[in-house]
Each structure stands twice: as structure tokens, then as C-alpha cells.
Amino acid sequence: MSTVPFAVEMHPQRWGDPAAAVGLPAPALELVDLAFGLQRLGSPAPATPPPPALGAELLEELRALVGREHVLVDDATRARRTRGKSTPDLLRARAGDLSDAPDAVVRPDGHGEVEAVLRWAHEHRVAVVPFGGGTSVTGGLAARRDGFAGLVSLDLARMRRLLAVDEVSMTATLEPGLRGPEAEALLGRHGLTLGHHPQSFEHATIGGFAATRSSGQSSAGYGRFDAMVVGLTAATPTGSLDLGAAPTSAAGPDLRQLLLGSEGAFGVITSVRVRVRRAPEETAYEGWRWPSFGAGSEAMRVLAQAGLLPTVLRLSDEAETAINLADPSSIGGAEDPGCLMVAGYEGTPEQVRTRRAAVAAALEGLGGAPLGPEPGERWAQGRFAAPYLRDALLDHGVLVETLETATFWSGRERLYAEVKRALTAALGEGSLVLCHVSHVYETGCSLYFTVAARQGEDPVAQWRAAKAAASDAIVAAGATITHHHAVGTDHLPWLAAEVGEVGVRLLRAVKAEVDPEGILNPGVLVP
């Protein structure tokens, strides 16, 4: 059993490690000035959460369950557990609004303590928000507290161990509080890797990956996180679940799927058993140019359906390629750059060489132009930097946010056009709407949109209106409301249209069975 030291915590008004914050490079400053008018906003307003609402007697009961030092009510800790890291979350925090702060931050250690806290919360009708890395971008940490005696953040930071490794079956059992780099470091001691690298990798946790059905940037080679999970344990207010007696089973519906993607509304995941791979001996990245987004997307479809996917495969549209988001240090305009595709390969030297040659032959035959390793290597070096860039743009009065969806290949063109049209109309003249294909499958793909616009008087309302317009367009196009960001509270109004009336009743029935008092992340996921 192995564990790691505590990681750096994120600032309540910014993304990531404060020491890693960046300013806008000169090309980006020029672009901002040209597109939106250069402005520098004042420092964020001081942010202090409201006084805790939990009474002294309830706090003492909590301390008896997990230890006095593991029930925290100081303002700084509570502030860091307020909401997630969507742009509206940050804008509200920057305006000094921490009204959603928990009354206490509770840090259990192990399944038994989690179960004890949930029983306590059930008995006293205290809302519980499971907290991993705090990287939610869909309102998944902004629980409803009306009708409850209080609200606690169930911080899983003490549950950060590699519990077991089975090198015969190639599985590992991990606790939920492990952040991405921590899990990789522990697995690396055994020569193994999980291979899951979403943009939030540096701060998101194993439990968060499972609870949101995360999909990493290397999903073409390693798959989505939910496909990696072969077993899990979870605590609920009415008892525990221990699922996954075998890699797969015909013993009824797969109950693991009730917890995967459940965002803490059905239970708290306390461990996951995941499929692992041998750590790659070699990695290689490269870039390809396509004359249009449609041509590049068609090439991705051909690769996926021919079983020729590299480990990483992504494609930027013309606007995103021109602005050069693949390299945040040199953002700026470019004349007719076409569309940039990034491909990455991992494995033994022979595996990388063979797969790379096969993919290259296919892409050249489809009309792609090789750009060599530099574009891909630049992307790999900056793959986790975009949220820091967003902070810098917010500092200059630029509203920046993302959304994602997925559809079948036959619906890609319509989805792309209608979402882009909806966002452009809602944000107005001068806004930028960029897109890339972020994940590919034999049957379809995910589209990931990034928008930028000059902040209005109420930027939160400004984005809410744009997001609503885009969500309506997604539903109208028959696509999913979210591919990997999860439902949270932001996508909840559109979930019923996707799952249908019977699906809504099923979700409500599961919630009523495992959480009859509704204490688990209330207001999230279940319509």
C-alpha cells in the first residue's frame, strides 16, 4: 500500500497552482487588443465565506467520527471548497461571492469513515458534497442547501493510496483522492500507467474521473475512464456497494454504471479497480495539415473505423488553428493555416514505429500534409496550460469558456454548424467561436468548443444565455448534452430531453432508494 504527500491546492478565484499562473504573451495581448479592446480589470474583490450554519453539537459529532483535526471550519479552507472552476464559478468568486461555501470541510480516511459520515448526515439531514480536486466546470459542486440543516464538503484528500496491484490481471486498486500525477507516480513505481490525461489532469482526482465519466486526451489509445474501471466500492446513506467480481458479467445490468457518472448523487466512490497498461518506453507526437475541418474530420472517421487510431488524435478547426491554441506561448493570427491535426503515439519503439507508419500512409492517402514533430510536441508541452490562459484573459475583461458534446459521424457537420451559429448569435459581433474534435470512436466523435467575447456588464448572465442557446442547439441536433464534463447543475435542464421520461423516473427511483433524504449532492444530476 503506497501513498503520496498532499498536493498544492487551487486558489478560490483562479485555476491551478498559484505559482504556475501566467500572463498573456505579447502575441495574445495584440490579439486581445485587436478583437476586444485591451483593458485591465482591477484585482478580484476580497472573498470571505458566510459564517458556518452548523451548530456546535453537530460539529462535535462529526469530530468524533473522523478526528477533531479533520473537521475544518476556517474561512480559507471553506473558500477553497466553494464551487468548481467553470468561468461562472470564477467570475462569482472574483466578485467576492462565496455564498455557496460549505459549513465545514470533513476529511474522512477510508470507506468506514465515509460511511459513518453519510449515516450522520442522513440522520441530521445535512447535505454532503463529495470533493476531489475541485475541477468541475458544470456546477457539480454547487449543491442546493435549502431544506437542510447545513452543508458539508466531504473532502477525500486523506484517501490517496494505491491499495493493490495485480500484475497478472493488469489491474490496480486506487483510492478516490489521488490526483492524476499522484496516481501515475505510484503506478510508475511498478512500471505501469493508467494513461488517463484530461486537461484537468494535474488537479483532478481518481474519484472525480469515475464520478464524471471523464475522458482523457489519450482516449484514442487508452479509452475513457469508465471503460478502465472493472470494479469499485461506494458508500451510500443506506449501505455500501462492492461491485466488480469479474472483468465483465451477464449477471443482470452492470451496477457499476450507476456509480460511474453519478457525480456523488448516488453514493461516494471510495475505491476503484482499474485496468492498467505497461508504461510506454517511447512517445512521439506530430502534426498534420488539412485543407478544411470537414476533410480532417473525415480522415479521423476513416482511421477510427479502420482500427488505425494513434494514442492521441485531435483536430482543430480553421479558427482555432489560426489563433494557434495548440501553443499558448505564441497565440496570434495566421494566414490560411488550414486545420491542424495532432497525433501522438506511445508504446515500445517497435509499436510506435509501426503504428506511426501505418497512420501516416493512411493520412497521406486521404490528403493530409505532414508537418513534422514540432506542432505535436508544442501541443504536448502546453496540453494542461489552457485554464491558466483563461485566468489571464479574464483579468483583461475577456469572457472565455468551453463546452463539449458528441454525436455520430453522420451528424457531425450539422452539430458543428448549429452550435457555432447559436454561440455566435448569442455572444454577438466580435466574439470568437473555436472548435476541435477532441475524442474519436468508430461511430462518432466529440466536439469541444471554446468561446471568447468582451465581458458585458453581467458576464455570468452573458455566458448563461450563450450556454442555453448552445444547449438548445445540441438537443435539437440530437447530440448529447455532455461528452465528458458531466451534468452537474448546468446541464440539468436539458437532461430529460436526452434520457426521456422513463429515464428520469429511473434516476429518481435510484436516488430515492440509496439516498431517501436526498442529502447527496442535492440538485445535481437528478432532474
Side-chain angles (χ1 to χ4, degrees):
M1 184 183 295
S2 305
T3 189
V4 287
F6 278 84
V8 173
E9 292 195 340
M10 291 195 283
H11 191 280
Q13 296 171 318
R14 309 186 78 83
W15 171 268
D17 181 353
V22 297
L24 288 179
L29 281 171
E30 294 175 6
L31 180 63
V32 168
D33 191 20
L34 178 65
F36 310 112
L38 196 59
Q39 54 182 328
R40 178 74 188 186
L41 302 184
S43 300
T48 302
L54 274 179
E57 184 176 342
L58 290 178
L59 288 174
E60 284 303 312
E61 291 182 12
L62 267 180
R63 291 172 180 134
L65 295 176
V66 301
R68 180 168 296 274
E69 68 273 28
H70 303 305
V71 178
L72 309 174
V73 295
D74 62 283
D75 286 349
T77 302
R78 293 167 55 232
R80 288 192 293 267
R81 299 296 178 271
T82 304
R83 308 188 194 102
K85 294 298 178 183
S86 70
T87 293
D89 289 339
L90 294 178
L91 288 169
R92 292 178 63 189
R94 285 169 174 239
D97 176 6
L98 295 182
S99 56
D100 292 324
D103 299 314
V105 175
V106 183
R107 288 178 171 164
D109 189 9
H111 180 92
E113 289 191 1
V114 172
E115 199 171 34
V117 171
L118 295 187
R119 285 196 300 267
W120 169 89
H122 174 84
E123 178 183 353
H124 297 289
R125 280 193 55 80
V126 175
V128 176
V129 180
F131 188 96
T135 60
S136 169
V137 292
T138 59
L141 300 176
R144 177 177 56 80
R145 63 186 301 154
D146 296 344
F148 295 96
L151 185 149
V152 300
S153 173
L154 191 73
D155 186 348
L156 302 173
R158 293 172 67 204
M159 299 174 62
R160 297 161 64 244
R161 288 172 282 259
L162 171 60
L163 297 175
V165 174
D166 179 349
E167 294 196 43
V168 176
S169 304
M170 290 297 284
T171 66
T173 304
L174 304 167
E175 286 192 311
L178 280 167
R179 300 193 185 200
E182 297 168 346
E184 285 296 329
L186 292 174
L187 291 170
R189 297 175 189 175
H190 299 268
L192 304 171
T193 184
L194 190 56
H196 188 70
H197 295 89
Q199 191 174 77
S200 60
F201 169 74
E202 295 173 311
H203 299 278
T205 62
I206 293 296
F209 295 156
T212 60
R213 290 189 183 274
S214 174
S215 192
Q217 295 168 339
S218 303
S219 66
Y222 289 97
R224 293 168 58 93
F225 191 81
D226 52 308
M228 300 176 186
V229 176
V230 297
L232 59 83
T233 59
T236 82
T238 57
S240 294
L241 290 162
D242 187 354
L243 303 169
T248 187
S249 170
D254 189 348
L255 296 181
R256 291 171 294 191
Q257 300 301 324
L258 281 178
L259 276 299
L260 296 172
S262 66
E263 302 181 53
F266 295 160
V268 178
I269 295 170
T270 55
S271 72
V272 293
R273 187 177 185 183
V274 290
R275 179 208 70 212
V276 292
R277 303 272 176 83
R278 294 292 173 195
E281 299 174 31
E282 183 176 304
T283 61
Y285 295 95
E286 62 190 17
W288 290 80
R289 183 189 183 278
W290 294 90
S292 69
F293 194 45
S297 299
E298 176 64 11
M300 298 175 99
R301 182 187 69 81
V302 172
L303 286 184
Q305 294 176 349
L308 277 178
L309 288 176
T311 308
V312 173
L313 187 65
R314 53 196 291 120
L315 173 74
S316 295
D317 71 359
E318 291 85 350
E320 186 171 285
T321 302
I323 290 176
N324 199 15
L325 277 190
D327 182 12
S329 67
S330 60
I331 287 175
E335 293 184 7
D336 191 24
C339 292
L340 173 65
M341 176 185 287
V342 170
Y345 307 85
E346 295 185 7
T348 66
E350 176 62 24
Q351 288 170 335
V352 169
R353 183 166 55 252
T354 301
R355 177 57 53 132
R356 193 172 183 179
V359 170
L363 293 181
E364 286 185 321
L366 292 165
L371 300 175
E374 186 180 0
E377 291 173 355
R378 286 202 313 266
W379 171 82
Q381 291 167 5
R383 64 195 299 186
F384 307 128
Y388 292 103
L389 179 63
R390 175 185 60 169
D391 281 344
L393 288 166
L394 289 176
D395 291 341
H396 286 275
V398 180
L399 176 69
V400 181
E401 186 56 301
T402 64
L403 62 86
E404 41 72 49
T405 178
T407 191
F408 296 105
W409 286 114
S410 57
R412 184 202 60 80
E413 289 187 17
R414 177 189 173 192
L415 179 65
Y416 172 69
E418 293 190 5
V419 174
K420 189 169 184 176
R421 185 181 304 115
L423 287 168
T424 301
L427 291 169
E429 185 178 353
S431 60
L432 296 175
V433 179
L434 321 175
C435 183
H436 64 263
V437 177
S438 59
H439 304 83
V440 296
Y441 308 93
E442 288 186 33
T443 54
C445 64
S446 171
L447 298 181
Y448 192 102
F449 292 86
T450 301
V451 304
R454 185 182 178 90
Q455 287 186 27
E457 291 185 7
D458 186 346
V460 173
Q462 182 184 6
W463 170 244
R464 295 291 188 208
K467 180 65 180 282
S471 298
D472 287 342
I474 287 169
V475 170
T480 180
I481 195 62
T482 176
H483 171 262
H484 58 269
H485 281 171
V487 175
T489 55
D490 291 358
H491 293 142
L492 195 59
W494 292 272
L495 183 61
E498 180 164 337
V499 303
E501 181 183 343
V502 174
V504 169
R505 293 205 307 268
L506 282 171
L507 291 174
R508 290 174 178 169
V510 173
K511 179 73 168 175
E513 182 62 35
V514 298
D515 181 21
E517 293 295 330
I519 63 162
L520 288 171
N521 219 0
V524 170
L525 178 65
V526 182

